Amino acid sequence: MISQISSRFVRFYERIAKGLLFLMAFLVPLAYFPWTVDNLEVNKQTILIFGASILTIAWLGIMVLKKQFYFKKSFLFILAGLFLLAVGLSSILSLAPYLSVFGQGAQEYTSFLTLLGFVLLFIVGSHYLSETKTQSMLLGVSLLASAIIGTLIIIALLGFPLFNTNFIGTPNGLGLYLLVMSIIGSGLWLAENPLEERRILLTGWKGIVERIAIFVTVISSIVILLTLDYHVLWILSIFGIGAMFTFAFVRAREFPHTSRFVLPMVLFVVSIVFLFLPSFLYGKFAVEVSPSHSASFAIARETLSDTSWLFGSGPGTFMMDYSKYHSTDVNTTDFWDIRFDRAIANSYTMLATYGIVGMFFFLFFVGSLGAATLSSLIKQHVHDEWKMTFVAFSGWVVLVLSFFLYSSNFTLTFLFWMLSAFLVSQLGPQIKQWAFSESPRSGLFTSFLFVLVNVGLLTLLFVTASRYAAEIAFAHASSVDKNTTDTDLVISDLDTAARLNKYSDIYYRNLGNALLIKAAEEVADPNADVNVLRDILSTCITAAKRATELSPNNVVNWHVLGDIYREVVPLVGNADMYAVEAYKQAVALAPANPKYLVALARAYLVRADQLQTLMESDDETVADEASLAWDEAIKSAEESLDAAVRLKSDYAVAYYYLALTYERQGNLADAISRMESVRSTNLNDIGVAFQLSILYLRQGKIDEAQAELERALEISPNFSNALWYLSAIYEEQGDIEKAIEMIEKVKELNPGNSIVEERLNNLLGGMSNPTIPDPISENETEPIEVDVPSENL
């Protein structure tokens, strides 16, 4: 017997445990907080980790207080544990271990940490969901969440958006979530019998809310499915409702009120009709794009072959797999520079990232649970238990089928594990209990487990809180960067994020970008301290290099490092060579993307420009070596650009730099020809107009150069360099008045520029210089790169 005080604590902990189940079922779908860059996934993950951890601690605490160890003996728990172990090994061997273990950048749903939370929810939750009343309450709060989401989306579709989100992720992901909840709600409505003493739906005011939530969810689901008009969702709807009707037909005596079939029948008929006919509401959502089934499978196959057939590339790393193995055919589309972070179906994503072992245990788990549930539905005779199994299984089986037809996200995965816990709670055997007095080993084991799990989960909560604080600091940096020009504050926030989470390459990559902007500000300041500039550049490069060390298989990290080295070439020794090496790594990680080949070519051109000075050295040996190196750099640039053009024949940027390469070789005719072809498809590109005008000037085609400069000013009236060179043309033509007018505009746009002031004074003093001037350094800065996961409503 336990004491009265202990009994109170037991009841308190039990209320906490059940309350957490209900709270997670309600909050995870609705979680949307604006103080993080990713408003959805990281917030949902944080709720899950805190909820599952406290739930587990409460569960073990009850055992200690009751001095009883109780556990439901189920083979499914072993399979879930083996699946968790396989994903853990995959995370350790991952291309990006931090990403795989914790998740970031909208990959939280597939991380090991999240799966740990789901497995804890699955095991502990199944021990508290055996009562019909608890099950009904869980489904009730879940339907309330879906009704709120559905209502808010309908309001947004009517033109009155209250939130800049759909709460789930992609539009089709939203549609799938509401479809599953509609099937669950329809099942509850169909299975409810008001004449029975033990009700399926809640009673009293809770029952009224639950019934309203069911109808709102189903109606909003139909409307949103019509606006999406996605054939996969129609197929899943037909399959789910069809499965529900099949069970209802087999156990017809469980459904005496045939009028209740109207609600699911409406969804069923709509799905059949619009599977074949176009929807009259289509077009309200942005079109969702993903790799095809064949492309997804090819990427998974290449990934397993190149990394590990057993454990894949690691959870959350599909974006890296896609970058390295996608076909060059995508370069003919508008999505050639998109790095997809998941395949068209979750099965392909898991195959590539979890490997054969993880995939096997997941399918074994799903197959075992499905078979056990079907067997229970066939054999079970207890009315309320059979009905609740019927309801949960109807929604669960749709999620399982969607695994092969569509990708996933955090809310859908949460829903899968919650319904899995629901189903296991319905399956035998019953929960076994071992009193500590009768089994001292059980008491010792439970006490040890309680202490061990408490320490582990409390540590996990601390780490999760630290990561979340880092996300908030990063989001603040992003907001400051967008809304102000305070680079120091951006750097401070990014530094805080990096200190709170030392293992995120995203923070260090963006810190390097921000420090580069700060260095540019220092260079532009004539009173800047050289030592301060040196420290900023050193920290900038260190931060960017740290990003590549944390995630060496992320092509973006190497691209940013290359950009930083290229920009600091005049200030850092050998930076041109370091830029070349960084871009080579980027090309190796994304061989089908021409963008990185162009970046590599630009680095070679910068190196050639650096060598140009050495070629004029009085030391013949130095000059000869520099000349050979210059030839090699120009040749490498040309080869890289030719390769980029072969990958994407209409890539204007590649032709642009190819023209500059020809120019450096003294081949102005080919350079002009290339640039003119670029102009034909980029009439509004001010850079093309300007560079083409310079080439015309160097070839002596003054009229053509003037026309291009005037065209550039039509595109951007305040383009300083266009005004600068146009003044030189007017000066050469003897129109000093117009030349002065152009220079005065340049001076307004670039106050304090000594070169501009000197030239203006010369013109005003009657001194003319017929040579083509060098371009001026305009007062311009570029924003830092901040990764923001995309989401469409």
Side-chain angles (χ1 to χ4, degrees), residues 496-644:
T496 299
R499 283 189 291 103
L500 289 171
N501 184 354
K502 298 180 180 180
Y503 302 101
S504 172
D505 61 308
I506 293 177
Y507 302 157
Y508 283 101
R509 181 170 70 238
N510 284 281
L511 179 59
N513 261 331
L515 287 166
L516 181 62
I517 294 174
K518 181 63 178 178
E521 293 175 357
E522 291 292 318
V523 170
D525 184 359
N527 300 317
D529 188 333
V530 175
N531 292 324
V532 171
L533 176 59
R534 185 182 297 112
D535 290 341
I536 292 174
L537 289 175
S538 176
T539 307
C540 170
I541 294 171
T542 300
K545 288 176 66 177
R546 175 63 176 161
T548 63
E549 293 167 358
L550 290 170
S551 187
N553 292 289
N554 189 338
V555 64
V556 177
N557 291 335
W558 292 104
H559 190 205
V560 170
L561 180 61
D563 286 349
I564 289 174
Y565 274 132
R566 188 187 68 218
E567 294 300 321
V568 302
V569 163
L571 304 171
V572 178
N574 296 321
D576 52 342
M577 290 300 298
Y578 296 141
V580 167
E581 293 304 317
Y583 288 133
K584 282 183 177 179
Q585 289 288 340
V587 170
L589 292 171
N593 191 325
K595 178 175 72 175
Y596 303 113
L597 284 163
V598 171
L600 177 59
R602 291 183 64 187
Y604 280 125
L605 292 176
V606 169
R607 173 160 172 73
D609 292 343
Q610 289 294 106
L611 292 167
Q612 193 79 41
T613 303
L614 295 176
M615 290 168 61
E616 299 172 0
S617 172
D618 294 333
D619 188 326
E620 291 186 6
T621 302
V622 171
D624 290 342
E625 290 178 353
S627 180
L628 290 174
W630 184 89
D631 288 338
E632 183 179 348
I634 291 295
K635 181 180 178 182
S636 297
E638 185 177 356
E639 290 174 350
S640 297
L641 292 167
D642 284 337

Side-chain angles (χ1 to χ4, degrees), residues 128-147:
Y128 286 101
L129 290 173
S130 56
E131 297 180 356
T132 300
K133 183 179 179 181
T134 305
Q135 296 168 355
S136 184
M137 187 66 183
L138 181 75
L139 296 181
V141 296
S142 299
L143 285 163
L144 179 59
S146 64

Side-chain angles (χ1 to χ4, degrees), residues 200-260:
I200 298 299
L201 294 176
L202 298 173
T203 57
W205 67 269
K206 295 178 183 178
I208 295 173
V209 172
E210 187 176 23
R211 287 166 174 79
I212 293 173
I214 289 173
F215 279 95
V216 171
T217 297
V218 173
I219 293 170
S220 61
S221 174
I222 292 173
V223 172
I224 290 167
L225 289 177
L226 286 170
T227 60
L228 292 169
D229 199 18
Y230 182 38
H231 70 282
V232 168
L233 295 180
W234 294 131
I235 292 171
L236 290 172
S237 177
I238 294 169
F239 177 79
I241 300 295
M244 182 186 299
F245 286 165
T246 300
F247 285 116
F249 178 77
V250 173
R251 297 283 289 264
R253 65 179 183 277
E254 302 286 355
F255 308 95
H257 300 280
T258 55
S259 60
R260 290 183 173 268

